[in-house]
Amino acid sequence: MKQMTKGLALIAAASGVVLGVLTPLSASATTSTAAGSGAPALKWTKCAGSGVDPRQRCATVAVPMDYADPDGPKIGIAVSRIRSENPGARRGALLLVPGGPGGDSMNDPSGKGQKLPKKVRDAYDLIGFAPRGMAPSTAVDCGLEHRDLARTTLLPWPAADGSVEANMAAAKRVSEACARNGGELIRHISTLNEARDLDRVRAALGERKVSMWGVSYGTYVTDAYLQLFPRRTDRVVLDSNDDADPVLAERAWLAAFERGAEDNFPEFAKWASTPGNPDRLADTAAEVRPLFLRLAARLDREPIPWPGANPEELNGNVLRQTMLDSFYDPDDYPALAKLILAARKGTGPPAPAGPPEAVLQNVTAVGAATICNDADWPSDPAVYREDVARSRAAFPLTGGMPRNAMTCAAWPWEPREAPVHVTDRGPADILMVQNERDVATPLSGALKLRAALGRRAVMVLNDSTGHDAYLGNGTACGDAAVSRFLATGKRPAEDLHCE
């Protein structure tokens, strides 16, 4: 999970959205009728932003803010579409379900959707959307302090000595700000409500069934849809899979970083010790891990000033967070290596550019609301102290962060519903695709989801490293299997391992 995984900041930054409710940009709108659905027709207009495929059009679907009060206040869900490239071969609509929580797929029909083979683009209208709370849908914002938008605060890195007091204080500040500034909507942002919104989108599109491609946290949203509406899916791809219960009190999605970092570090170590690598760190792979741990410990004791960054120092937790961010894609290994090389010399590279603060405020509010409204978290600091101590001993790379207190430790509201419970009830229409070495959604969690889905799913397992398994960091064999399924409905006869 982007998403609070890397996607919380990066996906939204790429979208170029402006906070607020979607408004039409063109008077020359086209209207599509949701035939037989009972839903109002959608008015498709030119989409905002630069770099959007001219074929992409945008619309807004009105949904209840509170599904327990369906006739009460409404909010807008922004959707985007690029139609099938061959109407004669069109099968239906493919929903592109983003990671996060805090990501959107508004520009995905123009972006990653265009990486799909033509036979898939012929078969489907490609549908993106901004989840409830995310601009350009009706948006939320907690008005957080600048320091609480730091990556090392969004993910709960403990102090250098392992103490959690600063994390508990941050949880209280953020929770109070969300209660003060988030409005009524922030109480109704959850995975189950996002799934319900997607069914309203399905109806508004006039589709009896929809196909879905969920990625990272998007697999959990898709799981929720599968449980709520099992007969309304056609072909479902789950890509880079969350644990079957990623937001239960055990905080399994956050804890996944422990295993994910361990799974990925050996690959980084091999790369970082390769002769001829301009960013080479050591002569052998075995030297890289102790080098990293020594440097992190030194930066814990002696941070390096880093003007323009947030926080404005290069400390051990910033190094550890950079490690996690770099492990999403092996192409990002040089960023971590360059930071290590600079820090060993007592300097920092130029401070990394971040997304506009308004975007980060929106992303952070949606991420916090989703995680905290989905499931109850402990409020006793002693729970986190004990868990952090155990984690630091067993998984030194991640320094106790995956067992620490997030905003939810002080969240002012109780969850309104039980978390998603994944079962094997429903049609066998799911193809999972997973990399063996994935820092954010490791194989260990994906296997739990595979077991929970039972006969409904078949898994394609890539001998590959990185997040985003389909058309990203996977294998040609895996990509071919998923593309064949989307285009023809044919799954492998049994779970498939791709070298």
Side-chain angles (χ1 to χ4, degrees), residues 399-426:
M401 179 277 293
R403 302 283 174 175
N404 202 2
M406 290 193 68
T407 300
C408 312
W411 198 245
W413 304 291
E414 294 294 322
R416 296 180 172 218
E417 300 181 271
V420 176
H421 178 59
V422 177
T423 74
D424 60 358
R425 294 190 294 273

Side-chain angles (χ1 to χ4, degrees), residues 10 34 51 131-132 174 178 195 210 246-247 261 275 312 321 399 403 419 421 475-476 483 486 489:
L10 300 188
R132 57 171 50 212
V174 172
C178 288
V210 285
V247 293
E312 290 198 331
Q321 182 63 58
R403 302 283 174 175
H421 178 59
T475 64
S483 296
L486 286 173

Side-chain angles (χ1 to χ4, degrees), residues 425-497:
R425 294 190 294 273
D429 58 359
I430 302 166
L431 184 63
M432 299 173 63
V433 58
Q434 177 71 33
N435 288 345
E436 289 187 2
R437 297 168 294 279
D438 183 328
V439 68
T441 55
L443 177 59
S444 55
L447 291 175
K448 293 179 184 178
L449 178 60
R450 172 69 187 89
L453 289 169
R455 63 167 189 85
R456 296 198 66 184
V458 171
M459 176 182 276
V460 175
L461 179 59
N462 293 317
D463 181 5
S464 191
T465 302
H467 201 51
D468 295 330
Y470 178 47
L471 303 181
N473 290 311
T475 64
C477 159
D479 289 351
V482 177
S483 296
R484 181 169 56 251
F485 170 65
L486 286 173
T488 69
K490 295 179 180 178
R491 300 187 303 181
E494 57 187 14
D495 289 356
L496 175 67
H497 187 255

Side-chain angles (χ1 to χ4, degrees), residues 215-272:
V215 183
S216 192
Y217 166 71
T219 64
Y220 191 52
V221 176
T222 306
D223 291 336
Y225 191 90
L226 290 166
Q227 304 310 309
L228 291 173
F229 311 106
R231 302 296 171 182
R232 296 179 188 170
T233 55
D234 184 16
R235 298 168 184 168
V236 176
V237 173
L238 301 178
D239 176 354
S240 305
N241 296 269
D242 268 327
D243 189 294
D245 293 311
V247 293
L248 292 180
E250 290 79 8
R251 311 181 301 283
W253 75 267
L254 192 60
F257 282 113
E258 293 173 338
R259 186 73 265 156
E262 294 291 341
D263 289 348
N264 280 262
F265 201 94
E267 297 300 308
F268 171 72
K270 285 189 288 187
W271 173 89

Side-chain angles (χ1 to χ4, degrees), residues 281-333:
L281 299 178
D283 293 333
T284 67
E287 297 173 88
V288 178
R289 183 186 178 100
L291 179 155
F292 176 88
L293 292 173
R294 286 195 304 270
L295 179 60
R298 192 190 89 193
L299 292 172
D300 283 339
R301 298 187 305 269
E302 303 169 4
I304 298 169
W306 205 7
N310 187 14
E312 290 198 331
E313 65 177 29
L314 174 50
N315 56 41
N317 285 338
V318 170
L319 179 67
R320 296 179 185 102
Q321 182 63 58
T322 303
M323 173 195 67
L324 295 184
D325 291 345
S326 299
F327 285 1
Y328 277 74
D329 188 334
D331 289 345
D332 293 337
Y333 285 172

Side-chain angles (χ1 to χ4, degrees), residues 167-176 372 377-379 384 405-413:
N167 305 106
M168 295 299 292
K172 187 172 186 292
R173 285 196 308 273
V174 172
S175 293
E176 289 177 348
C372 301
W377 284 47
S379 58
Y384 300 104
M406 290 193 68
T407 300
C408 312
W411 198 245
W413 304 291

Side-chain angles (χ1 to χ4, degrees), residues 13 37 41 43 45 55 79 81 125 145 155 165 183 191 197 218 245 265 281 284 322 385 391 408 445 450 459 491:
S37 69
K43 294 183 178 179
T45 69
R55 297 172 298 168
V79 296
R81 179 180 70 181
D125 295 345
E145 299 179 28
L155 285 177
E165 280 66 31
T191 298
D197 292 344
D245 293 311
F265 201 94
L281 299 178
T284 67
T322 303
R385 289 192 199 102
S391 182
C408 312
R450 172 69 187 89
M459 176 182 276
R491 300 187 303 181

